Structure formats: C-alpha cells, structure tokens
Amino acid sequence: KMKKAQRLITFLLATLILVSCGGKTADTETTGSTSVTESGSDSAEPEYTYEKYDLGGREFNILSSTYPYYFYETIDLENMTGETIDDEVYRRNRKVEDMFNMKLNVKEVVGKESSELVMTCVQAGEDVYDVATIPFDTSSAQILSQNCLLNLKDIADFQFDEAWWNNQLNDRLVIGSEKKLTAVFSDISLANFEGSYVTFINSGIVEDLGLEIPYDVVRDGKWTLDKMAEYMKAGANLNGDSSFRYSSDGNAVYGLTATLSFDQAVIAGSMDLFTVEEDGSVNIAANSDKFVSNVLKLSDIVATPGEMLYYNKSAEDNYEKVFRDERALLMVGELKAASMMRASDFDYGLLPIPKFDESQSDYRTVVGYGFLFCIPIVCDTPNESAAVIDAMTYYTYKDVMPLFYNERISQKALRDDDSIEMLALINKTRCLDIGRLYGWSNMLYQVMENATKNQKKTVASDLASKLDQIEASIEKTVDAINSAQ
C-alpha cells in the first residue's frame, strides 16, 4: 500500500510540475525566435519557445504591490540569501535577464498604491512601468473597470494555452462585452498559491482521539462538510475549563478554528457566487435556493460552542496562534500558515477544503489573497513586457514551484508524503470568486456572517434585502468596462 501511495504521489507531482530537474540551457534560434531545451531532460518534454527580444541592457520596470501579511511576495532579490526559494528566485531572474538583455528593476509599494500609481501614469501619458501587480481585492476594481490596462489576450507573447498559466483562475477574470483579459494570476508571486484556503489538522490530537487523518477519505471524494463536522465534534474538549469561551491562558480545545473567511471558503467552494455569461454579462448565482440552503447548513454545523471558534483578535492573536498552541484539532486558513509553522514542534497534516456534499464533482480551492499582473495601456513595448513575464512564469513553474513544494512547504513545514499529495490536489483545484475582486461579494459575506457567527436563520430575507444593491453594483462595473472598450 505504501509503494502504491508513493507511486501516486510521484505521478501527481510529475503531472503538476512537468519538469522537476534543472540543468544548463542551450538556445537554438529559429526564424527570430528562441527555443530553450533543458539538458538531461526527457526528449519528449516540451521546449520553451519565445521571441528573442533584445532590450539593449535597459531596465525592465516592475511595480509590485505587497502587504505585510507574511506571504512570500518577493519578485526579485539583490543577492542570494542561502534560503532555497530565495536563491532559485534570484537564479530565475538572472536567467530571464540574460535571455532578453535587460535588468529587472522592482519597485515595491503597499496595497492599492500600485493601482493608484498606474492610473497616475496613464492619465499623464507616461510610460513608467513595463508591468505592474495589483491586489486581488476591491482596491483594484477601479483600475480594472477603466481604460487603463492592455488586453493581454491581444499580445501573442503571452502563451496562455501552456501549462505554466493557470487558466482555471484567469478565465474567471474575463467580464464585459469585449471579453478583455486585463490582469492575470501568475505564480511569479508565490503569494498567489499561498493565498489559497486549506484545512490543517493536528496529527497528535487525531491520534489521541483514536481517529485517522482522512487522506483516504479525500482520495475517495468523500471529504465533505458533514465529515468535517464529525471531526469538529470529536475535537471539542473543555479540558478542565468551565466553558468554551476562549482565553489565551485557558485549556479548552476546539474542533475547528478560523476567521470568517472559513464561511467564504466553504460556500464559494461549494458553488459559484457569480457567473459570467457568453455575452460578458454577470449573473448572481447566489440568488438561489442552493445558496440559502448551503448557508443554513453551515450555520447549523458551526452553532455548537467548542466545535467552532471564530477568532481573529489581532495580527498576532488569532486563529493561527490557537492552532499553533495546539488548542484546535482543525484550522482553516491560507496555505501560507504552513510556512508560518515551520518552527512548530508538533505534527500536522494538510487537507483541501471539504466538498459541500458527495454530489459535488470535485474539490474547489478558493483563492482569497494574491496579486494580478497587468500592463499599463501607456506601455510602448507591450510585446517585450509579455515575453519577459511569460518567461518568468515558465521558470517559476519549472524551477521555483518544485522547490516550493519540496523545501518551503513539504520538508520544512508539512510533515508527511500524504500532505504533499494533498498539496498537489489543492494546486490543481484552485478557483476564485470574481465578486471578491469587484466588491459584489461583500454583501453576501455579510449574509453568511449573520447566519454563522451571529446564528440568525434569516438567510433568505437577508439575501433578498441585498440583491438590488448587488445588481446595481454589477451593472455599474460592467457598464464602465464596456464603455472603456
């Protein structure tokens, strides 16, 4: 059985990353373009083919948005640091610099400041940035709904049909009658993977309870919300405390701890909250009996004290600390929490967010945090911008992500081969809620919070009271995008 599991793990990782060996590159010029083959790799492996632009040694300017939330947001480093991921990112960038005869210049700003700087440059008609990243949140809605960014689908040097681009995410970013794609996810920013919602489970508590980490349940497609609820119930333990009211110096152990993003991960993981039609218009898929019944079911599951602890008092006193203190059997949060627990001396496993029920065809890993790459409309060399970003994305996929699995996540954080297999599944099933980007989902999140944390069973009427506002917000956004064509 162990050998079978190992073969499965190997297959999944090989499928995910395609190439896991490094090597010296050899350039072969073909009618103005270049093919890169990796020496020592299987001859059947696809070559990386790109247009050989010569940027004449100039600076290639990237405006990079960041947040102080402990994600790996680094796009470039001045020197190697001795840390595996840092050094591979450094090598990736120097390789791409050599390919295009240029020098990367990354300017980091905080949050929405990147969108504001791009808009300022567009309004002034100044070509300042070759590429910019903007946050995957409502602060980017304005720049995305104005004529500030190029349609990336019009630039042939983006090879979006290749495996190094995550089209299950990027296809969901296309709205409006012209079907423009003005911003995309790329794992150049590893925060885009670390921002995925996942489930952590304390291996020691599982063993003490006489249970098993449900890896086989996941493989069988039966890791559902009901199954998670069974573990939540088993994990709740007063442990000598008089109540389950949380105290940092208490002893109570909780079934599951999370922020309100747990609701979003489960509900958006069970269904699309918004769908985009063929004509680019947007429908409120949450205006349905399914949304109401799903939220009510979740409300029932989190209702029992001790089985669920919503906790996010501060940046340092939150649900992650509860889990690190071994005060919860389960935790739902972003994948980046794995790297935050590298120094922890207890064992834990990693699972996807559960299916809502067994009728759900596959697991859905909702991305709650990340950055979108875009090219300002005033950029005079969009083909060069696209070629550089495509190459950086390719070498992230080929060289950085395998190390991210094997170093930052698996060997130093995740504690077993089963969790590495789960990580491959999580990566393969990433999806997003487009309403998070444009603010349409905010009112739906309020409906969820009212039902779960506040335990009010008024989901249908709460939803009905929000629909006119959501529809008006969608109409305003889509009209702005269409008029900016």
Side-chain angles (χ1 to χ4, degrees):
K1 183 175 180 181
M2 179 59 70
K3 288 182 179 179
K4 182 178 179 182
Q6 292 291 346
R7 288 196 299 271
L8 178 60
I9 293 164
T10 301
F11 171 76
L12 283 169
L13 291 177
T15 300
L16 178 70
I17 62 178
L18 291 181
V19 181
S20 60
C21 59
K24 213 174 173 184
T25 64
D27 290 356
T28 305
E29 299 210 14
T30 57
T31 61
S33 66
T34 297
S35 298
V36 177
T37 58
E38 302 299 323
S39 62
S41 63
D42 192 318
S43 60
E45 294 289 355
E47 297 178 346
Y48 181 63
T49 302
Y50 66 100
E51 193 69 27
K52 193 172 177 61
Y53 296 106
D54 186 341
L55 276 62
R58 75 171 178 89
E59 287 191 338
F60 184 90
N61 296 300
I62 298 178
L63 179 63
S64 176
S65 177
T66 64
Y67 278 119
Y69 301 148
Y70 308 109
F71 289 85
Y72 193 98
E73 301 167 336
T74 303
I75 290 179
D76 194 19
L77 304 101
E78 292 185 3
N79 301 289
M80 290 189 179
T81 67
E83 286 289 327
T84 303
I85 303 303
D86 285 350
D87 290 354
E88 193 57 45
V89 166
Y90 179 88
R91 282 189 287 268
R92 172 198 70 189
N93 294 348
R94 306 295 80 80
K95 183 185 300 184
V96 175
E97 284 179 339
D98 290 343
M99 289 166 63
F100 297 103
N101 186 24
M102 55 83 179
K103 174 67 176 176
L104 287 175
N105 177 37
V106 179
K107 177 181 179 179
E108 292 188 351
V109 295
V110 178
K112 66 179 182 179
E113 188 178 346
S114 59
S115 295
E116 294 169 349
L117 285 173
V118 169
M119 290 180 69
T120 298
C121 292
V122 169
Q123 290 164 0
E126 297 177 347
D127 178 12
V128 178
Y129 305 109
D130 295 279
V131 171
T133 73
I134 55 177
F136 176 61
D137 60 34
T138 55
S139 70
S140 297
Q142 185 178 8
I143 191 172
L144 289 169
S145 58
Q146 298 188 22
N147 196 25
C148 295
L149 307 174
L150 289 174
N151 182 6
L152 306 183
K153 292 198 295 184
D154 287 343
I155 309 175
D157 295 279
F158 279 116
Q159 302 182 62
F160 288 131
D161 57 342
E162 298 292 350
W164 48 92
W165 288 102
N166 191 323
N167 290 322
Q168 64 195 22
L169 293 179
N170 292 331
D171 287 350
R172 291 172 175 263
L173 295 169
V174 179
I175 63 173
S177 58
E178 295 298 314
K179 306 289 188 65
K180 285 187 176 182
L181 178 65
T182 55
V184 291
F185 281 97
S186 164
D187 287 327
I188 293 171
S189 173
L190 292 170
N192 289 338
F193 188 25
E194 287 190 316
S196 306
Y197 293 128
V198 298
T199 308
F200 295 87
I201 185 166
N202 184 302
S203 304
I205 297 178
V206 166
E207 185 177 346
D208 291 343
L209 293 171
L211 301 173
E212 293 184 357
I213 298 180
Y215 295 126
D216 285 337
V217 177
V218 173
R219 295 182 184 110
D220 292 340
K222 297 181 178 180
W223 174 237
T224 64
L225 190 57
D226 284 334
K227 179 59 69 173
M228 173 181 270
E230 293 176 13
Y231 278 75
M232 291 166 62
K233 186 177 183 64
N237 181 0
L238 279 171
N239 202 24
D241 285 355
S242 59
S243 77
F244 280 111
R245 182 179 178 84
Y246 179 75
S247 170
S248 59
D249 58 358
N251 300 304
V253 177
Y254 301 86
L256 186 150
T257 187
T259 67
L260 287 164
S261 60
F262 170 64
D263 301 352
Q264 301 160 25
V266 170
I267 300 302
S270 72
M271 63 179 293
D272 288 328
L273 302 183
F274 300 89
T275 55
V276 181
E277 301 304 306
E278 281 298 316
D279 63 358
S281 62
V282 179
N283 285 335
I284 308 174
N287 184 18
S288 64
D289 292 339
K290 180 178 181 180
F291 176 81
V292 174
S293 61
N294 283 9
V295 174
L296 284 171
K297 178 175 180 177
L298 181 61
S299 175
D300 290 340
I301 285 174
V302 301
T304 305
E307 294 180 18
M308 177 68 201
L309 174 67
Y310 290 104
Y311 192 67
N312 196 34
K313 188 175 181 180
S314 70
E316 304 300 329
D317 186 13
N318 55 32
Y319 64 105
E320 289 185 11
K321 183 178 184 301
V322 174
F323 189 75
R324 289 197 303 269
D325 289 344
E326 299 192 73
R327 299 277 306 277
L329 170 61
L330 297 164
M331 180 184 84
V332 167
E334 291 128 338
L335 178 59
K336 64 100 187 234
S339 60
M340 296 293 293
M341 292 188 286
R342 290 166 72 181
S344 300
D345 58 2
F346 66 93
D347 288 334
Y348 59 89
L350 182 73
L351 303 165
I353 297 297
K355 295 180 180 180
F356 203 83
D357 53 42
E358 287 188 40
S359 68
Q360 186 173 317
S361 60
D362 203 353
Y363 300 98
R364 286 166 53 104
T365 300
V366 177
V367 175
Y369 177 95
F371 299 97
L372 302 172
F373 286 72
C374 59
I375 301 176
I377 200 168
V378 289
C379 177
D380 290 334
T381 53
N383 294 90
E384 294 176 359
S385 293
V388 171
I389 293 304
D390 191 83
M392 291 178 71
T393 303
Y394 169 76
Y395 284 111
T396 301
Y397 169 85
K398 180 188 170 298
D399 297 331
V400 180
M401 286 296 282
L403 291 179
F404 186 73
Y405 270 57
N406 294 327
E407 294 289 333
R408 185 172 173 83
I409 295 298
S410 63
Q411 293 178 9
K412 293 185 178 179
L414 301 181
R415 309 305 171 98
D416 54 55
D417 289 336
D418 292 299
S419 285
I420 301 173
E421 181 186 341
M422 297 297 108
L423 193 63
L425 173 64
I426 286 162
N427 193 20
K428 185 176 68 175
T429 58
R430 280 189 284 173
C431 67
L432 61 85
D433 168 24
I434 187 65
R436 178 183 180 86
L437 184 57
Y438 290 102
W440 309 327
S441 294
N442 291 347
M443 285 174 276
L444 296 179
Y445 298 159
Q446 293 171 13
V447 172
M448 296 178 203
E449 179 180 359
N450 207 31
T452 56
K453 188 177 181 181
N454 299 332
Q455 283 297 301
K456 295 183 179 179
K457 309 300 183 180
T458 54
V459 178
S461 59
D462 287 350
L463 175 63
S465 70
K466 307 288 187 185
L467 288 176
D468 286 347
Q469 290 175 270
I470 297 173
E471 288 173 351
S473 180
I474 291 173
E475 183 178 0
K476 181 179 179 180
T477 299
V478 174
D479 284 350
I481 290 172
N482 289 340
S483 64
Q485 311 297 353

